[in-house]
Structures are given as C-alpha cells and as structure tokens.
C-alpha cells in the first residue's frame, strides 16, 4: 500500500528565528517562546520530566542570557539549543536536508492500514524519535552530518532515508 508521507517543520521554523535572533542579541518575547512550548506537536512528547514549562524556562534563559538550572533532560535541551546558536551555519546545514527531503522517494513495503504518515521534526532532548499515532516525531538534534560530506545525513546510526523507511514500515 502506497503511503502518503508529509513533513511538518512548523516548530523547527519557529526555532530558526529563535536561534538567529538570540545569537544576534535580540530578546525573544515570552509570548513567542510560549507558542513554541505550547505547540500541539511539542505537547505530544511531554512527560513528567520534560514539559512546556521546561521548554519555556530553557528558552527564556537563553533569550535573557541567564544561567540555566534544571533536570538532566532540561539541561540537555538547553545545551542542544545553545549548540545551534554557537554555529548558525552548521545549524543551517542540518536543516537543509530536512527541508529538501523528497518524501516521495521514501519507499515502504508494508501491509499496514496506515497510509497517512506525518514526519514532525522537533527540537528535543535525549530521545531520538517517537511514534505517536500516525506521526513519526524526529529529534532535530539527532540529525548527524558527515563532516567530510554534508550531503551524507544519518539518523540513529543509519542513513536518514533508510531510517525513515524502516521506522515507517513498522508503523
């Protein structure tokens, strides 16, 4: 059965602005940060250790240039965001293969009744991906580029497209 696979980069697009503005010394308002923290896709991955308040506190600390204290997972999220701001050009190189991914090239051979799949790319913490309903949620920070050839993109120790095909086949 042919699967219709779409990409959802809404939160990631909001984060690009956040990283660039924060790097330039602009203060990003709490309301903007809360639109990221309260995004319905972000809410799908929240639990007792990491929730909208975790996202708000970490991003506010970055925007306000404050020291951040939090749980191990919250500090990982904060650190990942600081990493993006540290090298905006590398961040753009990480985003490029996600934005240009042609989902029609993802071939999945399965008898599953699921034929509508949404790939959601979010800035997360330690877990590489989630499967929630018909959504495959990828942790943007888990994307790995080959430093010798940025066109070689991997995710969870596999080529990105191979990873997507394998996971989607099991949905």
């Amino acid at each position: 059965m042919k699967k219709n696979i779409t990409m959802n980069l809404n939160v990631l697009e909001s984060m690009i602005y956040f990283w660039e503005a924060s790097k330039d010394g602009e203060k990003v308002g709490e309301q903007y940060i809360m639109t990221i923290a309260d995004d319905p896709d972000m809410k799908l991955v929240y639990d007792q250790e990491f929730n909208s308040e975790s996202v708000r506190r970490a991003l506010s600390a970055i925007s306000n240039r404050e020291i951040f204290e939090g749980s191990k997972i919250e500090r990982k999220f904060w650190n990942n965001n600081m990493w993006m701001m540290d090298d905006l050009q590398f961040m753009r190189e990480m985003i490029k293969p996600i934005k240009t991914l042609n989902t029609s090239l993802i071939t999945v051979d399965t008898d599953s009744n699921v034929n509508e799949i949404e790939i959601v790319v979010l800035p997360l913490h330690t877990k590489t991906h989630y499967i929630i309903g018909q959504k495959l949620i990828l942790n943007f920070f888990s994307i790995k580029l080959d430093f010798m050839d940025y066109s070689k993109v991997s995710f969870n120790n596999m080529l990105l497209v191979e990873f997507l095909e394998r996971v989607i086949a099991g949905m």
Side-chain angles (χ1 to χ4, degrees), residues 3-92:
K3 300 208 180 287
N4 183 29
I5 302 169
T6 58
M7 294 289 291
N8 177 337
L9 306 175
N10 296 338
V11 172
L12 189 60
E13 292 287 349
S14 296
M15 290 304 299
I16 293 169
Y17 168 77
F18 176 85
W19 294 321
E20 290 179 348
S22 295
K23 175 75 174 192
D24 287 342
E26 296 177 35
K27 180 172 175 0
V28 178
E30 286 291 312
Q31 187 174 11
Y32 188 85
I33 291 170
M34 287 308 298
T35 62
I36 295 168
D38 288 339
D39 185 274
D41 289 321
M42 287 291 288
K43 287 181 176 182
L44 292 173
V45 300
Y46 290 159
D47 58 24
Q48 290 180 333
E49 291 184 87
F50 186 78
N51 54 44
S52 64
E53 182 61 12
S54 304
V55 172
R56 187 203 64 76
R57 289 185 328 97
L59 297 182
S60 289
I62 291 169
S63 181
N64 295 326
R65 292 169 174 46
E66 300 170 346
I67 294 173
F68 180 73
E69 293 185 21
S71 70
K72 183 177 181 179
I73 289 176
E74 290 170 332
R75 286 191 317 270
K76 179 71 173 173
F77 176 75
W78 176 86
N79 189 58
N80 286 340
N81 281 282
M82 293 298 289
W83 169 43
M84 291 299 102
M85 289 174 36
D86 190 44
D87 189 346
L88 291 177
Q89 186 54 40
F90 186 70
M91 176 267 297
R92 289 181 194 105

Side-chain angles (χ1 to χ4, degrees), residues 63-129:
S63 181
N64 295 326
R65 292 169 174 46
E66 300 170 346
I67 294 173
F68 180 73
E69 293 185 21
S71 70
K72 183 177 181 179
I73 289 176
E74 290 170 332
R75 286 191 317 270
K76 179 71 173 173
F77 176 75
W78 176 86
N79 189 58
N80 286 340
N81 281 282
M82 293 298 289
W83 169 43
M84 291 299 102
M85 289 174 36
D86 190 44
D87 189 346
L88 291 177
Q89 186 54 40
F90 186 70
M91 176 267 297
R92 289 181 194 105
E93 292 296 330
M94 287 177 65
I95 289 171
K96 198 179 300 181
I98 296 298
K99 280 189 163 187
T100 60
L101 180 67
N102 184 350
T103 57
S104 66
L105 297 178
I106 299 172
T107 57
V108 180
D109 188 24
T110 182
D111 294 330
S112 169
N113 291 333
V114 177
N115 58 4
E116 296 284 331
I117 304 289
E118 182 179 23
I119 300 171
V120 182
V121 183
L122 299 176
L124 298 174
H125 41 74
T126 55
K127 194 165 179 182
T128 60
H129 68 285

